[in-house]
Amino acid sequence: MTSAFTIAVHSLVFLASLPDRMASSEEIANQVFTHPARVRKIMSCLRKEGYVKTKEGIGGGYIFECEPDAVTLGNIYRSISCKALKLHWCSNEAYEACQLSTHIQDVMDHIFNDAENHFIAYLDHITIESILHKIKVKQVF
Amino acid sequence: MTSAFTIAVHSLVFLASLPDRMASSEEIANQVFTHPARVRKIMSCLRKEGYVKTKEGIGGGYIFECEPDAVTLGNIYRSISCKALKLHWCSNEAYEACQLSTHIQDVMDHIFNDAENHFIAYLDHITIESILHKIKVKQVF
DNA sequence: GATTACTGTAATAGTAAAGGACACAGTTTA
DNA sequence: TAAACTGTGTCCTTTACTATTACAGTAATC
């Protein structure tokens, strides 16, 4: 689920550009270059966090639920919990006592955790609205 | 090569704890729970950047070349260039004109690039020496 | 109330990436 | 010349990711 985050962002930007109608998973998948089932799975996470509203049945689909300037990439990252930061200490069972490895794990876990928090803090500066704005400036619409 | 970074850090911390003798790839691999060939491959990158000195032949191996407080995790990250930050936009060929996707790629690439720079800046605050110190405080040696 | 167009979610299969293992040439020391 | 190393390439296994399919559930429309 590494690219789930980028798909989520892309989908939300797309939905933010269509504030007054629903888009189906197929339509979104077409924009985002993946498959409807995958879009549905990812949107399911976003729905649970309240970022999108979904509707089943005819005429259903997905629509942006919040104000685009109220949703940050940090929000999305947390809901997808995709662990884009692939830093993890080896989860080896055989740590012998009195070796360097015994405690370096704790130390490194702490460092990696901090690093991820910094990363999320950066993502929290960026809103869906700001991305949409940047794209509009480039005259896409 | 995702874990290459952690192996590199672990290895350097180990070497920093043995400032006055060489350690073979086998000895390092034993500490770091991987295989000698992999250690050699990773240490090869660090040698090119001048962080370790290597010596072939009998009695050879690896030794820390710099002052431990002069080498940061950022330095290591850059030499390994492991791309721990697995954020990349889909490299899809079929971007049709006049679609949202056309420019969102540029925008997102820029954001992800910035994010990685922030991440590396954080890593630059942490030295091998500081890690070694933290471990020593925990009375490993 | 049957049909159609959707979501929700699980299961399966295919594919790409990562890591482990091995091999062997090159180098240094004794 | 033998022994103990590094340097590096390649193959193989395993793992993780993604695509695909399938099907139950739901809402609108006729």
Side-chain angles (χ1 to χ4, degrees):
Chain A
M1 280 283 187
T2 316
S3 63
F5 175 69
T6 61
I7 291 175
V9 174
H10 199 162
S11 302
L12 282 184
V13 171
F14 176 59
L15 289 182
S17 76
L18 300 173
D20 35 48
R21 71 170 179 87
M22 296 204 122
S24 71
S25 61
E26 192 176 345
E27 191 179 3
I28 298 172
N30 193 45
Q31 276 285 332
V32 174
F33 300 109
T34 185
H35 293 267
R38 185 139 198 249
V39 169
R40 276 177 252 151
K41 217 173 287 177
I42 292 170
M43 297 309 274
S44 182
C45 296
L46 299 177
R47 175 179 52 82
K48 284 166 189 159
E49 300 291 326
Y51 300 132
V52 297
K53 198 163 62 183
T54 72
K55 196 174 141 200
E56 302 181 18
I58 289 183
Y62 303 87
I63 194 167
F64 212 86
E65 174 80 338
C66 308
E67 290 303 310
D69 62 355
V71 180
T72 71
L73 295 198
N75 295 138
I76 301 171
Y77 184 87
R78 277 182 288 258
S79 23
I80 302 295
S81 70
C82 57
K83 292 286 166 204
L85 211 56
K86 288 229 140 187
L87 293 178
H88 41 69
W89 210 245
C90 62
S91 61
N92 208 299
E93 59 298 326
Y95 283 107
E96 302 163 37
C98 298
Q99 272 206 329
L100 186 65
S101 315
T102 313
H103 289 306
I104 195 173
Q105 184 160 24
D106 297 337
V107 173
M108 293 308 297
D109 280 348
H110 185 256
I111 289 172
F112 289 167
N113 203 48
D114 267 15
E116 181 164 35
N117 287 337
H118 274 77
F119 173 65
I120 295 177
Y122 169 76
L123 291 183
D124 270 328
H125 284 122
I126 302 162
T127 65
I128 293 296
E129 172 61 29
S130 72
I131 295 175
L132 198 55
H133 176 72
K134 280 179 191 162
I135 295 171
K136 278 179 178 165
V137 167
K138 292 199 177 185
Q139 327 265 315
V140 177
F141 301 117
Chain B
M1 280 285 186
T2 315
S3 62
F5 175 69
T6 60
I7 291 175
V9 173
H10 199 162
S11 301
L12 282 185
V13 171
F14 176 60
L15 288 183
S17 76
L18 300 172
D20 35 47
R21 70 169 178 90
M22 295 203 124
S24 71
S25 60
E26 193 177 343
E27 190 179 3
I28 297 171
N30 192 46
Q31 277 284 332
V32 174
F33 300 109
T34 186
H35 294 265
R38 185 138 197 251
V39 169
R40 275 176 252 151
K41 231 171 276 182
I42 292 170
M43 297 309 274
S44 183
C45 296
L46 298 176
R47 176 180 51 83
K48 284 167 190 160
E49 300 291 326
Y51 301 130
V52 298
K53 197 162 62 181
T54 71
K55 197 174 141 199
E56 302 181 19
I58 291 181
Y62 303 87
I63 193 167
F64 213 86
E65 174 79 341
C66 308
E67 290 303 312
D69 62 357
V71 179
T72 70
L73 296 197
N75 295 139
I76 300 170
Y77 185 86
R78 276 181 289 259
S79 24
I80 303 293
S81 70
C82 58
K83 293 288 166 202
L85 213 56
K86 287 229 143 187
L87 293 178
H88 40 70
W89 212 245
C90 61
S91 60
N92 207 300
E93 59 299 326
Y95 284 106
E96 301 162 37
C98 298
Q99 273 205 329
L100 187 65
S101 315
T102 314
H103 288 307
I104 195 173
Q105 185 161 25
D106 298 338
V107 174
M108 293 308 297
D109 279 349
H110 185 256
I111 290 173
F112 289 166
N113 203 47
D114 266 14
E116 181 163 35
N117 287 338
H118 274 77
F119 173 66
I120 295 176
Y122 169 76
L123 291 183
D124 270 328
H125 284 121
I126 302 161
T127 65
I128 293 295
E129 172 61 30
S130 71
I131 294 175
L132 199 55
H133 177 71
K134 281 180 192 162
I135 296 170
K136 278 179 178 166
V137 166
K138 293 198 175 185
Q139 326 267 314
V140 178
F141 301 116

